[in-house]
């Protein structure tokens, strides 16, 4: 059985087929366009997501940095608080040390006044003994064979004179003992003050700690730089300082001589003609030689038997040993301005 289509039906079929093909083609084009749009949108969103991811990473980094800064600020604050507490403790310790030293100084001053009073009494006793002795000698010349009254007076005077002499001897011994104790206590107080202030006072302040007998390194550095140039001059200078510091300690080396002082007494000074010092002067010049001579003078004054370095309270402005009064006044001045940088 066969079907036959009329021309009009065939045209309709062709038109319908063409319309379907066009519709399918158009649908495909629309789908392709939609896919392209979706792809572009996805790429755009991917870029936006990537940008957001970077921004989030930056934000997290900033937050982390901010957190670190906050923690650092917190740590710094804690360190400052700890430093402040430590400074307060140090100030309290120094103040206590100074107050103890001040109290001990006042006690020592009271003892010194008592010693002066006893010394005055001793002088009066000496005068009384001298007067009694003179009177006794006069009476001996006046004594005759029949003058019993004078003899009795001489006996009593002799007894009184002997009694006063014993009092004078006892008082002299007591004065010597008290003076020695007072000096020992003052020296001990000075040593304790040096130990307590050694980390606080330095050569950069008006009052500080000077190490007597320790070589000044600067002349050695300058001399080695001139002699050897910049090549390793610091090492050479350090070795030279160490070597001469050891030489100063040796008791077998005694580069001193005695000269007459202004008061007529014998005074021991450094001998400029010592062979080792002369050789040092030839090799390195005046400054190095003078530095060694200064250390020799200091060690001979402060520790001639041991010859090791000794710390001393020093007035750097006047280049001399500082008095206890100067040290205490300087420390109190520093304590009055705790917020400022402590300077001399």
């Amino acid at each position: 059985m066969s079907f036959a289509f009329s021309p009009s039906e065939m045209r309709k079929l062709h038109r319908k087929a063409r319309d379907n093909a066009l519709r399918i083609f158009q649908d495909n084009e629309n789908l392709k366009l939609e896919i392209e749009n979706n792809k572009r949108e996805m790429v755009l969103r991917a870029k936006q997501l990537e940008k957001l991811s970077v921004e989030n990473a930056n934000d997290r980094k900033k937050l982390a940095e901010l957190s670190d800064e906050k923690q650092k600020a917190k740590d710094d604050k804690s360190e400052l608080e700890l430093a402040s507490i430590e400074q307060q403790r140090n100030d309290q310790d120094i103040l206590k040390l100074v107050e103890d030293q001040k109290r001990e100084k006042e006690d020592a001053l009271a003892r010194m006044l008592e010693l002066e009073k006893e010394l005055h009494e001793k002088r009066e006793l000496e005068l009384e003994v001298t007067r009694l002795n003179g009177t006794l000698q006069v009476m001996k010349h006046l004594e005759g064979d029949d003058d019993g009254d004078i003899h009795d007076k001489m006996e009593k005077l002799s007894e009184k004179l002997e009694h006063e002499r014993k009092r004078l001897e006892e008082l002299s011994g007591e004065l010597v003992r008290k003076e020695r104790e007072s000096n020992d206590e003052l020296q001990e107080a000075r040593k304790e003050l040096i130990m307590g202030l050694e980390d606080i006072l330095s050569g950069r302040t008006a009052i500080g700690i000077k190490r007597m007998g320790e070589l000044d390194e600067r002349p050695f550095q300058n001399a080695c730089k001139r002699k050897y140039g910049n090549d390793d001059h610091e090492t050479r200078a350090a070795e030279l300082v160490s070597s001469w510091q050891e030489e100063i300690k040796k008791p077998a080396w005694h580069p001193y001589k005695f000269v007459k002082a202004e008061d007529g007494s014998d005074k021991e000074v450094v001998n400029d003609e010592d062979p080792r010092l002369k050789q040092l002067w030839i090799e390195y010049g005046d400054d190095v030689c003078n530095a060694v001579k200064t250390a020799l003078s200091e060690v001979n004054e402060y520790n001639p038997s041991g010859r090791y370095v000794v710390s001393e309270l020093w007035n750097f402005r006047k280049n001399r040993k500082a008095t206890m009064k100067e040290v205490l006044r300087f420390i109190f001045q520093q304590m009055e301005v705790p917020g400022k940088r402590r300077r001399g």
Side-chain angles (χ1 to χ4, degrees):
M1 182 177 180
S2 61
F3 295 94
F5 294 97
S6 64
S8 60
E9 288 177 336
M10 288 295 293
R11 283 195 297 273
K12 287 180 181 180
L13 287 172
H14 287 162
R15 191 182 304 114
K16 189 174 182 179
R18 187 181 66 233
D19 291 341
N20 285 334
L22 287 171
R23 182 174 54 78
I24 291 171
F25 177 77
Q26 189 64 43
D27 288 343
N28 286 337
E29 288 296 320
N30 291 337
L31 184 60
K32 285 171 64 178
L33 184 61
E34 185 177 354
I35 290 171
E36 288 295 326
N37 289 335
N38 288 337
K39 283 174 66 178
R40 281 195 296 271
E41 187 176 352
M42 288 178 66
V43 170
L44 182 61
R45 287 188 177 182
K47 289 182 178 179
Q48 290 175 343
L49 287 172
E50 185 178 356
K51 183 180 179 182
L52 286 173
S53 177
V54 172
E55 289 177 353
N56 286 336
N58 290 335
D59 289 341
R60 284 195 298 271
K61 184 178 179 181
K62 288 179 180 178
L63 284 172
E65 290 175 352
L66 184 60
S67 177
D68 291 342
E69 288 178 1
K70 286 182 178 179
Q71 186 62 41
K72 186 176 182 299
K74 186 177 179 181
D75 293 341
D76 290 343
K77 183 180 178 183
S78 298
E79 289 179 3
L80 286 172
E81 289 174 350
L82 288 173
S84 177
I85 293 171
E86 186 66 23
Q87 184 63 49
Q88 289 175 2
R89 287 177 181 170
N90 289 338
D91 288 346
Q92 289 172 357
D93 291 341
I94 294 170
L95 188 58
K96 183 178 182 300
L97 177 64
V98 171
E99 287 174 350
D100 290 343
Q101 295 297 324
K102 186 179 180 182
R103 185 166 53 253
E104 289 178 9
K105 185 181 177 183
E106 289 172 350
D107 293 341
L109 182 60
R111 287 194 296 273
M112 290 295 289
L113 291 174
E114 184 181 351
L115 283 174
E116 287 183 5
K117 182 179 177 182
E118 292 179 355
L119 184 60
H120 179 69
E121 183 181 350
K122 177 191 171 188
R123 287 171 182 163
E124 288 186 343
L125 270 175
E126 288 174 343
L127 290 172
E128 179 66 13
V129 168
T130 302
R131 187 185 67 79
L132 289 172
N133 192 47
T135 303
L136 184 61
Q137 294 300 321
V138 170
M139 293 182 73
K140 281 182 179 180
H141 287 293
L142 295 175
E143 182 183 16
D145 294 336
D146 299 328
D147 200 343
D149 186 46
I150 291 179
H151 182 75
D152 291 339
K153 288 182 179 179
M154 285 177 60
E155 287 291 332
K156 291 179 181 179
L157 192 59
S158 295
E159 290 177 4
K160 185 177 181 181
L161 180 60
E162 186 63 27
H163 175 71
E164 294 297 333
R165 279 177 177 167
K166 286 183 179 180
R167 276 188 62 200
L168 182 58
E169 288 176 2
E170 291 173 358
L171 184 58
S172 297
E174 184 69 13
L175 281 171
V176 170
R177 184 185 66 79
K178 286 184 177 180
E179 186 176 10
R180 187 182 298 115
E181 288 179 356
S182 180
N183 287 335
D184 290 344
E185 288 175 3
L186 283 173
Q187 289 302 316
E188 189 63 30
R190 194 176 182 91
K191 287 179 182 178
E192 289 182 8
L193 192 58
I194 289 172
M195 290 175 61
L197 300 175
E198 199 153 15
D199 294 333
I200 300 167
L201 301 180
S202 68
R204 294 187 296 272
T205 55
I207 303 296
I209 307 295
K210 178 175 169 61
R211 290 173 58 79
M212 311 306 292
E214 186 173 75
L215 287 169
D216 183 359
E217 297 182 3
R218 289 170 297 181
F220 291 85
Q221 292 173 352
N222 294 334
C224 287
K225 189 173 183 179
R226 287 194 304 269
K227 187 170 184 177
Y228 304 110
N230 291 326
D231 295 337
D232 207 25
H233 73 278
E234 291 183 354
T235 302
R236 289 177 179 267
E239 291 173 351
L240 193 63
V241 169
S242 177
S243 172
W244 277 97
Q245 194 72 65
E246 290 301 316
E247 287 294 320
I248 291 171
K249 293 179 183 178
K250 293 178 180 178
W253 185 37
H254 195 80
Y256 303 100
K257 65 179 180 179
F258 284 98
V259 297
K260 285 291 182 183
E262 292 181 358
D263 59 0
S265 62
D266 290 332
K267 181 180 179 182
E268 195 172 27
V269 297
V270 176
N271 183 8
D272 294 334
E273 299 302 317
D274 179 83
R276 294 189 192 180
L277 292 177
K278 291 183 74 173
Q279 185 62 35
L280 179 66
W281 175 76
I282 291 170
E283 291 185 16
Y284 293 98
D286 286 332
D287 292 342
V288 170
C289 188
N290 288 335
V292 173
K293 286 162 64 177
T294 298
L296 284 167
S297 297
E298 291 174 352
V299 81
N300 196 45
E301 178 182 356
Y302 282 85
N303 188 20
S305 58
R307 282 202 173 187
Y308 52 82
V309 174
V310 176
S311 294
E312 179 60 280
L313 293 168
W314 199 256
N315 187 324
F316 286 96
R317 284 182 178 169
K318 297 183 179 180
N319 195 29
R320 61 164 172 76
K321 181 178 176 180
T323 64
M324 291 289 283
K325 182 179 179 180
E326 288 173 336
V327 175
L328 294 175
R329 183 171 61 239
F330 176 77
I331 293 172
F332 278 124
Q333 287 173 350
Q334 302 306 299
M335 296 293 291
E336 289 173 0
V337 284
K340 296 181 181 179
R341 183 182 176 185
R342 295 179 177 177
R343 300 179 300 177

